[in-house]
Amino acid sequence: MSITPLRSHAMVFEKDVAIPMDDGAILRANVFRPDAPGQYPVVMAQGVYGKDVHFADGWKPQWEKLMKLHPDLCSNGSTGKYMRWETVDPERWVPDGFVVIHVDSRGSGKSPGFLDPMSAREIEDYVASIAWAGTQTWSNGKVGLIGISYYAATQWRVAALRPPYLAAIVPWEGRSDHYRDYGFHGGIMSNGFLQAWWPKQVLSNQHGSGGTPYRDRDTGLPTTGDALSAPLLLGNRSDYPAEMARHPLCDAWHRERSPDLSRIDVPVLSAGNWGGPGNHLRGNIEGYLRAGAKKKWLSMHIGTHYESFYLPDYVAMQKRFFNFYLRGDQNGWEDEPPVKLAVRHVEGSATRTENEFPLARTVWTAFYLDAATRSLAPETPGSAAETSFDATGDGVDFTTAPFAQETELTGFVTLKIWVASSTPDLDLFAILRLFDPDGKEVVFDGAHEPTPLTRGWLRASHRKIDEAQSLPYRVFHAHDEVQKLEPGQSYALDVEVWPTSIVIPAGYRLTLTLQGKDFEFPGKAGRLLHNHPLDRGHDDFSGTSTLFTGGDQASFLLLPVVPPR
């Protein structure tokens, strides 16, 4: 135990605290609390990334970028000594009277056991950890959850179980649907992130991993405890990537890893990133909309995946939310408008509050594709036309005329497209892009990589729609059966393109790129790719794709045009 003097409270740091589980297992936690008598609200996170791995050691490029963008982050009250990837900085929270707890999930870091990320057992353990935190002598009995990505996805799930002592959650850029947000986009396996994530961020932190490159800065010892043999390590973990590949439909395996959002009844502050098409963005918006909580807020930001979470203005927002629900401070939080949007511009954004999402004043506007002119326009084409492309090639572009006036798009996007394939299936990748008057593409600094405006995906054999959960402006696919195509026959597909926000300047153009493979910027390898050989490496996805427009097979992009107030 060490005591570090800080602003209003000195900080007690208790390392490797034992938290008992109902089956006799022990999880290990780091606990940071005020060194003063009293009972304090708790904010916590539980996950597989190693509670003792310093941000700079485990994620050096991201750390260096964060320090370059915000060089004063490790000053003015924080040394940065205890900063961990995607969790709060204790030195910025404990002085304000919070207890901060970071728990290694079963089988990771200092917590022995079977490593099974995103399993039901992992979430049952989280329930037990929350109960432990809520009943300690230094706890006021109110626990809040906060964290990014993995530490957000688990919040949605554990909150749906309604554990005692849980009082509020702040899922920051985290998926809420294991299948649609993360594993399979439009039925196409998303493996690019997974194949890097599993060895680097999970296996390197497995409990007993003698090969981990990480050392605890406090002790100099491995962050994963005593080393285990290779056979024992292998037997102590699931094969998550292989399991993902074995479940191409939204079956019980995926449903077990997705919450019933309607059961969430604690207050929610869901924070999403417009620059995250392909990971998390959809989850934060759907999580907000579908959560059963009567008190819930949506906050949308821009920038990198990890940047905003640590910035003073956002930390102040997080604390204000928790101060209201965990401490009972009458700070006016409940009067905050439910929606806060960083509305994107070509450079930067402008913050605006709203009373709902999608915005009630949205004018849902169809832009029709014309295969004859490769155009995208509010008017229907004069006649039917078609165009074909190699399903493994670069596809085709449909472009608008220059916008005559500044135009805002904020909300859901859907593509209705008529297609045919020379094979029994077809993968369609839809990319919405923005170009300036000189033809230069606007590239956004996204959550995980440089991004276009937004993206969408659909495997034609997964075209079945869940009518009960779909809306005129938002399609929801069932993904519960495979409906192969008759080669040469045309079919109507409704493609979910992930939500977006942009104020298009006058003179700029939109381009819709449609192709049968991942879109990547020249010279910039993508991270969120869909190229798993078992999923896409067969002849069904190597044929000729044909798109139909106009006449009885009118194809269009439905855009959320937002007029000024």
Side-chain angles (χ1 to χ4, degrees):
M1 180 186 299
S2 61
I3 299 179
T4 307
L6 286 173
R7 296 190 296 273
S8 54
H9 290 288
M11 183 172 77
V12 175
F13 172 27
E14 297 177 286
K15 194 178 188 67
D16 295 338
V17 177
I19 302 179
M21 300 292 106
D22 60 5
D23 62 351
I26 297 292
L27 303 191
R28 295 291 175 178
N30 287 346
V31 179
F32 305 83
R33 56 184 177 83
D35 184 33
Q39 294 180 314
Y40 302 94
V42 176
V43 293
M44 69 185 300
Q46 181 166 309
V48 297
Y49 294 160
K51 66 179 176 58
D52 296 314
V53 180
H54 193 278
F55 192 141
D57 297 337
W59 291 266
K60 184 179 179 181
Q62 292 88 340
W63 173 263
E64 291 177 346
K65 183 172 183 178
L66 186 60
M67 292 300 102
K68 184 177 180 180
L69 289 169
H70 308 286
D72 60 344
L73 203 60
C74 292
S75 61
N76 301 321
S78 175
T79 66
K81 179 180 179 180
Y82 302 107
M83 285 186 68
R84 303 294 186 258
W85 175 248
E86 300 185 334
T87 60
V88 301
D89 178 0
E91 290 182 313
R92 293 202 181 278
W93 285 76
V94 173
D96 288 334
F98 289 92
V99 176
V100 174
I101 301 177
H102 190 177
V103 187
D104 280 335
S105 291
R106 184 183 298 234
S108 68
K110 300 284 184 61
S111 297
F114 187 76
L115 177 63
D116 195 7
M118 307 183 199
S119 65
R121 177 73 253 187
E122 181 186 46
I123 303 305
E124 291 166 11
D125 287 349
Y126 209 166
V127 171
S129 295
I130 292 168
W132 179 88
T135 53
Q136 299 306 297
T137 56
W138 34 254
S139 171
N140 73 350
K142 291 185 180 295
V143 177
L145 307 182
I146 185 171
I148 313 174
S149 187
Y150 197 101
Y151 298 106
T154 52
Q155 289 180 56
W156 297 115
R157 293 182 60 201
V158 75
L161 298 183
R162 299 179 177 176
Y165 307 104
L166 181 62
I169 63 172
V170 181
W172 203 277
E173 293 195 39
R175 62 187 173 273
S176 57
D177 186 318
H178 188 265
Y179 187 92
R180 295 167 182 84
D181 299 344
Y182 173 64
F184 290 80
H185 296 142
I188 308 169
M189 185 177 180
S190 177
N191 62 294
F193 175 79
L194 179 62
Q195 64 190 16
W197 171 79
W198 180 247
K200 184 181 186 300
Q201 294 182 238
V202 181
L203 297 189
S204 64
N205 290 310
Q206 183 181 359
H207 177 74
S209 174
T212 184
Y214 308 128
R215 294 295 179 269
D216 187 329
R217 290 189 176 189
D218 296 324
T219 66
L221 299 174
T223 58
T224 51
D226 295 334
L228 301 176
S229 68
L232 193 54
L233 277 177
L234 185 62
N236 274 6
R237 65 179 183 243
S238 66
D239 190 346
Y240 180 76
E243 285 297 314
M244 182 77 79
R246 281 195 284 267
H247 295 274
L249 294 175
C250 189
D251 58 14
W253 188 80
H254 289 285
R255 291 195 297 273
E256 181 183 278
R257 288 157 177 79
S258 300
D260 178 353
L261 293 165
S262 68
R263 285 186 46 79
I264 296 176
D265 59 0
V266 296
V268 176
L269 171 57
S270 176
N273 189 334
W274 292 122
N279 205 0
H280 303 322
L281 163 61
R282 183 186 186 278
N284 279 103
I285 291 177
E286 292 292 332
Y288 164 75
L289 291 173
R290 297 179 186 275
K294 294 180 180 179
K295 305 294 184 181
K296 56 184 180 179
W297 286 263
L298 175 67
S299 177
M300 298 298 298
H301 54 263
I302 63 171
T304 63
H305 173 53
Y306 46 86
E307 177 184 353
S308 64
F309 182 77
Y310 297 99
L311 300 186
D313 287 349
Y314 287 104
V315 173
M317 179 178 72
Q318 297 158 10
K319 287 180 180 177
R320 187 165 168 241
F321 174 76
F322 278 144
N323 275 329
F324 187 89
Y325 286 110
L326 305 188
R327 205 192 304 272
D329 285 2
Q330 296 306 302
N331 57 21
W333 175 267
E334 275 203 328
D335 297 327
E336 283 290 314
V339 176
K340 183 177 183 179
L341 304 176
V343 179
R344 282 195 302 192
H345 290 251
V346 170
E347 293 185 3
S349 65
T351 301
R352 189 176 73 220
T353 58
E354 299 284 352
N355 293 319
E356 71 287 312
F357 191 90
L359 309 187
R361 65 184 182 280
T362 302
V363 179
W364 301 99
T365 305
F367 278 68
Y368 291 88
L369 286 67
D370 188 341
T373 60
R374 300 288 181 88
S375 63
L376 192 61
E379 301 79 27
T380 57
S383 59
E386 63 183 69
T387 186
S388 298
F389 60 90
D390 182 345
T392 62
D394 291 331
V396 295
D397 295 338
F398 297 85
T399 301
T400 67
F403 277 72
Q405 59 188 22
E406 183 178 271
T407 303
E408 179 185 336
L409 307 178
T410 295
F412 294 103
V413 179
T414 298
L415 172 65
K416 167 79 78 172
I417 184 80
W418 285 85
V419 303
S421 175
S422 63
T423 67
D425 213 338
L426 173 155
D427 280 351
L428 193 64
F429 294 70
I431 307 95
L432 190 57
R433 306 159 69 187
L434 182 64
F435 290 83
D436 72 11
D438 295 326
K440 181 180 179 182
E441 183 162 6
V442 179
V443 181
F444 296 92
D445 189 12
H448 302 275
E449 60 186 351
T451 69
L453 195 53
T454 190
R455 306 173 189 249
W457 304 262
L458 185 64
R459 177 159 289 172
S461 60
H462 282 240
R463 63 192 178 276
K464 179 182 174 182
I465 294 173
D466 183 335
E467 299 288 355
Q469 299 195 70
S470 293
L471 295 168
Y473 52 80
R474 182 186 63 179
V475 64
F476 195 96
H477 292 96
H479 298 298
D480 59 1
E481 65 174 305
V482 173
Q483 300 176 336
K484 290 291 188 178
L485 307 179
E486 182 69 32
Q489 181 175 326
S490 63
Y491 296 84
L493 305 182
D494 293 281
V495 182
E496 179 185 9
V497 181
W498 283 25
T500 194
S501 177
I502 185 65
V503 175
I504 303 172
Y508 280 61
R509 299 172 183 258
L510 286 175
T511 290
L512 175 66
T513 296
L514 299 175
Q515 54 191 47
K517 64 174 185 177
D518 283 297
F519 172 83
E520 299 177 84
F521 291 110
K524 298 179 181 179
R527 292 185 64 207
L528 305 177
L529 300 178
H530 306 71
N531 55 12
H532 195 289
L534 295 180
D535 185 61
R536 284 180 44 81
H538 47 85
D539 292 342
D540 279 8
F541 307 106
S542 300
T544 298
S545 301
T546 301
L547 309 179
F548 302 92
T549 65
D552 294 335
Q553 296 179 319
S555 297
F556 60 89
L557 187 67
L558 190 64
L559 294 175
V561 176
V562 178
R565 283 174 170 154

